[in-house]
Amino acid sequence: MQDWLTALADLFVGNFWIWAVIGAWSGFIIGSIPGLGPVFALALAIPLTFGMEPLSAMILLGSIYCGTVTGGSVSSVLLNIPGTTGSIATCWDGFSLAKQGRAAEALGAGIMSSTLGTFIGLICLAFLGPLLGRLVAYIGPVEYFSLIILAFAFVAAASKGEAIKGFIMGGVGLLFAFVGMDVITAYERFTFGSLFLMDGVPFGPAVIGIFAFSQLINSAIKGQSISHGEKVTGNVLPGVIAVFKHPITVVKAWIVGIIAGVMPGLGINIGNIMAYMLEKNASKTQEEKDSFGKGNIRGIIAPEVANNATAYANLSSSFALGIPSGSSDAILLGGLILWGLTPGKAFFDTSQSLFFPTLVWGMALAPLILLPGLFIIKYLAKITEIKPYTLLPLVTVISILGSLSSRGHIFDIWVMIVFGFIGYILDRGGFPLSTLVISLVLGTLLETNMSRALRISDGSWAIFVQKPVSLIVLIISLIIVLGAFVDLKTPLVNFFNRFKFMSKLKIGK
Amino acid sequence: MVRRLWQTDKLSLAILIAVSIMCIYAIVEAGTFPVEAGRLPRVIAAVTLVFCVLMLGKMFLSPAAENDDAAGDNNVCGDNEEDSNISLKDLFINKGSALLLGVVVFTLLMEYIGFIITSVLFMVAMGLYLGQKKKVFNLVYAIVCSLLLYWIFADLFSIPLPEIIF
């Protein structure tokens, strides 16, 4: 209690507010620029914190982190370009709403959902962090491998249209993920002799190409503004209210976000897509399911709640175990070490003077971003009314710069062009791009854990069914895959209806 | 039947053939890797190839491939709102391809004449091509946007952008 009170007292220190405001707003703006996510912002800010006291530095970096994750939804909705990798799923319904002239509503829902996600992520960090961190330590490569298989099955089966297309795109994404040096043997694969591909297909330019550049090609063909001539309503309130009208969606996304957050390696890029797919699969009717990707507000709420919850839940396992869950966590942990603090379990026990203020400031930062954000985004939404001959060349140049900014190589622009063309063709053919991207993210993780597990078992594949958790997860994955091709519900209902007492329950009617 | 299928859903067919070729290449190439490095790529490529064959089989056995009357009315594998029976001409010869070509030229030129000049040229050319009537506004807009972007990325974020080399 004493720690909380001390941390609350820090809220009255003016200097801290300056860092919080600078960090939150610069983070929000950087997050809304395609290609510049939390990693970019944190990497730039770390050198600035060398001369600062640890608490000021943590407040600055924490506010930047919070701002970038929240700001990621802006370009997802307005331009169909994920501001951060945690906003990929937000594009699917956010941009569809923007095309209907409802960009402000989508942005309102996005920013409100992000704020709720931040709160729950912080609560998770405060109360569950040390406990979950210890639990995660019991999950080994075997269980990770199975969980990733489950993620694949889940995403591919929920693909728009036929599941078989989802599985094909999953395979293609994985093959792209295998490009570069093998993480275990360091053997060069599918690089065609290019040094630029040694580290694999650069994720940022590939995502910008698949989602943004392909969309720009489509926009050029159609020759319409993003809102298709519809006037933007300019009212964020319906979006904000919609978030509170879907409490179940929010709770489910929180849970998914936290699960994705506490597992090292998954992170916001997986959490937001998983939350989206869960929400889509929970649809009661086919018509409702089909509305996802065409402007369903729940398709914004779920990923935005999840990505902010994941971002903070990520920190709980990172701080507790000292193992970063992603690049941005790695930068934050690097900062801790630079300031003379020890990450790991000791961070919660001995560094309370820093841990609790971090939480309190996180809570304070959420409304700091929400309130001005709600005011300004209705003006940002007007972007969707701009004619394509004005907007399209500018967004194309921003996409090019977004691709270039990740590593500074011209080669990355070529990656964007190639993936943009692939994305355009696949989209026209009705193949789901989301499965392609999630496979690109998970490929390395899948292979690393598989190789580690096989090394443990001396090359025996039986290890994946010998561990109970892994076996259960694999059985669930198999059911999901089979369910995508075969109608499992009818025979199950018939089976249970053989029993009179089950018939009375009217299962399946 | 193949000809009929090509007439009804040529884009899906072309994509599946391309993916199948990619999978066969991956299987052959991964065969030359050490066991640990080539194991998963081979498995994934083989599984993907099986799915492609299943999809192709499904397309061949679908009514659209067997029924001439259905040709053109039925998108066999598509849930896509777009017509996947689009002609190759419509698919590749359009304003989107011009944008693609513009970005290719942009990338090639940027290394020699720097970001600012390339960006101004690209934005002016694309603006005019896409229907901008106000030429002076188009030029001023291109210059202001290019300079602003240069300032944000190069000066503010210290991302090195290509400069003119002469």
Side-chain angles (χ1 to χ4, degrees):
Chain A
M1 193 64 191
Q2 181 67 32
D3 299 313
W4 283 104
L5 290 174
T6 311
L8 283 169
D10 288 335
L11 287 176
F12 296 97
V13 180
N15 280 352
F16 293 156
W17 277 104
I18 294 171
W19 293 123
V21 171
I22 290 172
W25 275 93
S26 60
F28 187 80
I29 292 165
I30 290 173
S32 63
I33 298 173
L36 306 180
V39 178
F40 174 84
L42 290 171
L44 272 185
I46 278 280
L48 301 176
T49 64
F50 288 164
M52 294 166 73
E53 58 166 315
L55 183 54
S56 299
M58 196 65 195
I59 288 168
L60 178 68
L61 294 189
S63 56
I64 288 173
Y65 190 54
C66 187
T68 46
V69 176
T70 307
S73 62
V74 175
S75 63
S76 298
V77 170
L78 297 181
L79 306 172
N80 202 27
I81 305 172
T84 66
T85 50
S87 304
I88 290 171
T90 312
C91 292
W92 301 331
D93 281 282
F95 190 64
S96 297
L97 279 173
K99 286 198 286 191
Q100 296 164 25
R102 295 164 64 195
E105 185 184 336
L107 287 169
I111 200 165
M112 190 67 233
S113 306
S114 292
T115 306
L116 290 177
T118 299
F119 274 113
I120 199 67
L122 284 164
I123 291 167
C124 170
L125 179 62
F127 298 105
L128 301 175
L131 175 69
L132 291 170
R134 277 195 288 272
L135 285 176
V136 168
Y138 293 103
I139 298 176
V142 179
E143 289 81 9
Y144 263 121
F145 175 82
S146 305
L147 283 169
I148 296 165
I149 293 290
L150 176 67
F152 275 126
F154 198 52
V155 174
S159 300
K160 190 175 85 173
E162 290 181 74
I164 195 164
K165 286 182 177 177
F167 287 109
I168 291 170
M169 284 299 99
V172 171
L174 281 175
L175 290 175
F176 280 126
F178 295 142
V179 172
M181 279 203 297
D182 174 32
V183 282
I184 301 290
T185 63
Y187 190 82
E188 200 181 313
R189 300 181 301 186
F190 309 119
T191 60
F192 303 99
S194 169
L195 285 174
F196 295 109
L197 287 173
M198 292 285 273
D199 290 334
V201 173
F203 183 69
V207 169
I208 290 176
I210 290 170
F211 288 117
F213 192 48
S214 64
Q215 183 59 43
L216 290 172
I217 294 172
N218 271 323
S219 301
I221 293 167
K222 287 173 183 164
Q224 290 175 312
S225 61
I226 294 171
S227 63
H228 286 221
E230 298 281 335
K231 280 281 172 194
V232 174
T233 55
N235 192 356
V236 295
L237 209 58
V240 175
I241 293 168
V243 178
F244 295 102
K245 280 183 179 171
H246 297 97
I248 305 292
T249 303
V250 172
V251 171
K252 278 191 291 188
W254 277 347
I255 295 167
V256 171
I258 289 166
I259 291 171
V262 296
M263 294 186 142
L266 291 187
I268 56 171
N269 41 3
I270 307 299
N272 78 106
I273 296 174
M274 289 293 286
Y276 181 90
M277 292 302 176
L278 181 74
E279 193 56 33
K280 185 179 173 181
N281 277 352
S283 303
K284 287 172 185 154
T285 61
Q286 188 61 37
E287 192 182 347
E288 190 184 343
K289 195 173 182 179
D290 290 342
S291 70
F292 279 86
K294 294 173 185 168
N296 189 326
I297 199 83
R298 282 159 54 205
I300 299 170
I301 298 169
E304 281 303 311
V305 169
N307 68 14
N308 278 54
T310 307
Y312 282 94
N314 257 337
L315 292 180
S316 62
S317 61
S318 303
F319 285 162
L321 296 169
I323 303 169
S325 300
S327 311
S328 39
D329 298 340
I331 295 169
L332 277 176
L333 284 176
L336 286 182
I337 295 164
L338 283 171
W339 308 324
L341 298 168
T342 312
K345 189 175 173 297
F347 179 78
F348 295 96
D349 301 332
T350 60
S351 304
Q352 289 179 347
S353 61
L354 187 57
F355 176 62
F356 286 96
T358 304
L359 295 172
V360 168
W361 276 98
M363 296 281 187
L365 282 167
L368 190 71
I369 296 170
L370 171 73
L371 297 175
L374 285 175
F375 175 74
I376 204 170
I377 52 178
K378 64 181 178 184
Y379 299 104
L380 288 172
K382 295 283 178 189
I383 289 173
T384 58
E385 287 180 11
I386 300 173
K387 296 288 181 196
Y389 50 72
T390 307
L391 187 65
L392 218 134
L394 176 64
V395 180
T396 307
V397 176
I398 292 174
S399 297
I400 291 170
L401 288 174
S403 302
L404 192 66
S405 64
S406 59
R407 296 193 299 181
H409 297 315
I410 295 284
F411 178 81
D412 290 349
I413 304 174
W414 292 111
V415 172
M416 182 203 79
I417 294 169
V418 170
F419 275 88
F421 180 72
I422 291 172
Y424 164 68
I425 296 290
L426 291 175
D427 190 43
R428 292 299 293 261
F431 285 79
L433 299 177
S434 56
T435 325
L436 178 74
V437 170
I438 199 167
S439 306
L440 201 57
V441 178
L442 284 175
T444 310
L445 204 60
L446 177 81
E447 190 171 26
T448 309
N449 285 294
M450 189 200 76
S451 297
R452 282 180 186 157
L454 289 175
R455 284 197 169 191
I456 293 168
S457 68
D458 284 329
S460 169
W461 291 84
I463 193 170
F464 295 110
V465 291
Q466 283 168 347
K467 299 247 180 182
V469 174
S470 172
L471 179 64
I472 292 166
V473 173
L474 285 177
I475 289 171
I476 295 169
S477 309
L478 188 66
I479 292 169
I480 290 171
V481 173
L482 287 175
F485 294 106
V486 186
D487 180 17
L488 294 175
K489 191 181 171 187
T490 309
L492 276 175
V493 168
N494 291 340
F495 175 78
F496 283 116
N497 280 343
R498 285 182 185 179
F499 304 96
K500 284 184 180 176
F501 71 94
M502 292 301 281
S503 300
K504 284 175 187 170
L505 294 176
K506 296 181 179 176
I507 291 175
K509 289 180 184 175
Chain B
M1 187 180 281
V2 176
R3 193 168 58 85
R4 262 184 254 143
L5 196 58
W6 176 252
Q7 284 167 354
T8 55
D9 200 357
K10 59 181 66 131
L11 186 55
S12 293
L13 194 62
I15 290 170
L16 288 172
I17 291 168
V19 172
S20 301
I21 292 169
M22 180 181 160
C23 291
I24 292 166
Y25 167 76
I27 292 168
V28 174
E29 182 73 7
T32 64
F33 300 161
V35 176
E36 269 199 23
R39 183 167 42 204
L40 197 57
R42 271 204 310 276
V43 171
I44 298 297
V47 172
T48 310
L49 188 61
V50 169
F51 278 120
C52 285
V53 172
L54 282 174
M55 183 88 197
L56 283 167
K58 191 179 174 188
M59 287 171 71
F60 282 124
L61 296 174
S62 69
E66 291 170 356
N67 187 357
D68 271 335
D69 296 336
D73 299 331
N74 195 358
N75 177 4
V76 179
C77 67
D79 53 291
N80 194 12
E81 287 173 9
E82 307 283 352
D83 179 14
S84 94
N85 186 28
I86 187 171
S87 73
L88 291 179
K89 189 184 167 193
D90 290 341
L91 190 66
F92 294 116
I93 302 173
N94 50 44
K95 285 187 175 178
S97 301
L99 180 74
L100 189 73
L101 190 69
V103 174
V104 169
V105 174
F106 184 113
T107 312
L108 290 171
L109 278 181
M110 189 164 63
E111 282 191 278
Y112 300 100
I113 59 173
F115 167 75
I116 295 175
I117 298 173
T118 319
S119 174
V120 170
L121 288 175
F122 173 80
M123 288 181 72
V124 167
M126 282 314 298
L128 291 173
Y129 179 71
L130 292 171
Q132 175 63 274
K133 300 281 192 296
K134 300 168 188 168
K135 290 175 183 170
V136 177
F137 170 81
N138 193 31
L139 180 66
V140 173
Y141 173 74
I143 292 170
V144 170
C145 286
S146 299
L147 289 174
L148 191 65
L149 287 174
Y150 184 85
W151 177 72
I152 291 172
F153 280 83
D155 294 340
L156 208 58
F157 298 142
S158 304
I159 295 167
L161 296 179
E163 304 281 351
I164 192 161
I165 57 169
F166 42 82

